[in-house]
Amino acid sequence: MGQGANVVDLPPMPVVECIPNVSEGRDPAVLDACSEAIRRAGARLLDVKPDAAHHRTVFSFAGEPAPVKAAVLALFETALARIDLRKHSGEHPRLGAVDVVPFVPIEGVTMADCIAMARAVAADVATRHNLPVFLYEEAAAMPTRRNLEDIRRGEFEGLAAKLQQPGWTPDFGPSTPHLTAGASVIGARMALIAYNINLATNRLDVAKKIATAVRQSSGGLRYVKAMGVELADRGIVQVSMNLTNFDKTPIFRVFELVKREAGRYGVTVLESEIVGLVPAAALTTSAAWYLQLDTFKDEQILENRLRQP
Amino acid sequence: MGQGANVVDLPPMPVVECIPNVSEGRDPAVLDACSEAIRRAGARLLDVKPDAAHHRTVFSFAGEPAPVKAAVLALFETALARIDLRKHSGEHPRLGAVDVVPFVPIEGVTMADCIAMARAVAADVATRHNLPVFLYEEAAAMPTRRNLEDIRRGEFEGLAAKLQQPGWTPDFGPSTPHLTAGASVIGARMALIAYNINLATNRLDVAKKIATAVRQSSGGLRYVKAMGVELADRGIVQVSMNLTNFDKTPIFRVFELVKREAGRYGVTVLESEIVGLVPAAALTTSAAWYLQLDTFKDEQILENRLRQP
């Protein structure tokens, strides 16, 4: 039975995502200018998430490598012209006007491609704006510089002193801070999924124990960061997570582990929640696991065939 | 934790799929001409599946309504010029050179839109080619004409007599067969998923019993057709199915029911298999069910956001 098809393999259109965090979260005019610069460069602006308390905004955009690169450069132009960190104070730590810029491979683009993009953009903006730039995560020049928190420690105010230390010469640009824009951190990483699992209990200790069990740092799954939190308005608790490599540590594995750990306390999963954007592959991989779809190929997804060139 | 985003709701680009079955499965020149006609009209050709024994080919193409409609009209032009049913003999029953043409809503297109497309195309080709046309499935003018098998009964050879019967006046076109092209059946239906579940047993009676349990006609799930078959080369059996409305009767429900029914016989599911193309929504719906994703929206899928205008 059925109308089986021999689907033709065509190369996918390359898609890279960029998620710059910018140190402005209150002035809509500045944010609109940034959004406009991104769009005009030809990238698809997916999301703009300002946080007034953090005084910080997360931009998400995607597209083929060339327009995405152009959009990042345009964003640097706009942000550096309009943000003065000497007047900046917010709840989120920051090193630069354009604080951090990760490139993420989505489709038809490798991590190596993203690392190359990060390096090219870093070299460009460092020269063009006389800006110190550090590479991080997969693009890091040395293991001690992979972690964003380590690079950012000291923030804008401590930057002049930090740049003089041996071991903190920037990867590109001068060893003195940009007067108003500080320094920037540019790199490449896998797509990150913000994933929460709500438990049918008000026992915060249960959520915290499960978070401890499931996060990498305390012995759990490799690409999971997790914490237990209270959702006081609902009278329940949550295991709040970042999945930092959904290809290696897939959503379904995390779900099943949390569910089983919750069962040890007589607690069931109420629901789970993906916050923000998620690559389709993360979901189809989970569907394929549960449905035991052994021979399934992404080219069988009709919408994927429509998106090919 | 996490970088939650308030995603902006944008209207999706409308996508309709068309899966015409044409009565030619052996002459590559004719099939190439048909493929070329479809492409030149601006539709995205997804698949061409010829069957020499059936002497029949299934074309799958999709796109926005206007190019898809143009592609169907171009296909009729090409097929009617090159196929002569008087010389046609194959294992699959057929009424016309272009035998059946279903329109399927994929995204941003309603069933009503597809019914309207079917009617418009039917009226056009009936007039242009002096061809009798019947509407079927969701586009059927009366309940007795919903089912393709009922309309096609008698095939090309019995068409002249059938068209003279009261109750078999075509919906469009003359009450005499087209000399070489017979009649065509045009309509609208939901996307169909060809879905098989392989069982870890060689007991064909188990597969047949499960098929009986799960198919609508003998008491099972409403939008499922099923049969039990043997995969002799592998020494196992299969429940082979067509899911005719994956929105109302989703894949995961079918899987879970078959799995439970198999358990009654001490049999496990080896794997399941989707044959050919599947709309992404069918898989993400299943993922959302297994992961208990209560508040998930399709706009959160990154690739969907890239495909919007």
Side-chain angles (χ1 to χ4, degrees), chain A residues 4-5 44 47 49 272 308, chain B residues 4-5 44 47 49 272 291 308:
Chain A
R44 167 63 61 96
D47 195 42
K49 195 169 149 66
S272 80
Q308 283 161 346
Chain B
R44 168 61 63 94
D47 194 43
K49 194 168 151 64
S272 81
L291 297 175
Q308 284 161 344

Side-chain angles (χ1 to χ4, degrees), chain A residues 172-191:
Chain A
F172 295 93
S175 287
T176 47
H178 186 286
L179 188 68
T180 55
S184 291
V185 185
I186 303 179
R189 59 163 174 77
M190 292 301 293

Side-chain angles (χ1 to χ4, degrees), chain A residues 38-59:
Chain A
I38 290 164
R39 282 198 201 96
R40 227 183 291 119
R44 167 63 61 96
L45 184 61
L46 299 173
D47 195 42
V48 181
K49 195 169 149 66
D51 188 315
H54 289 184
H55 204 356
R56 182 184 187 84
T57 297
V58 180
F59 293 87

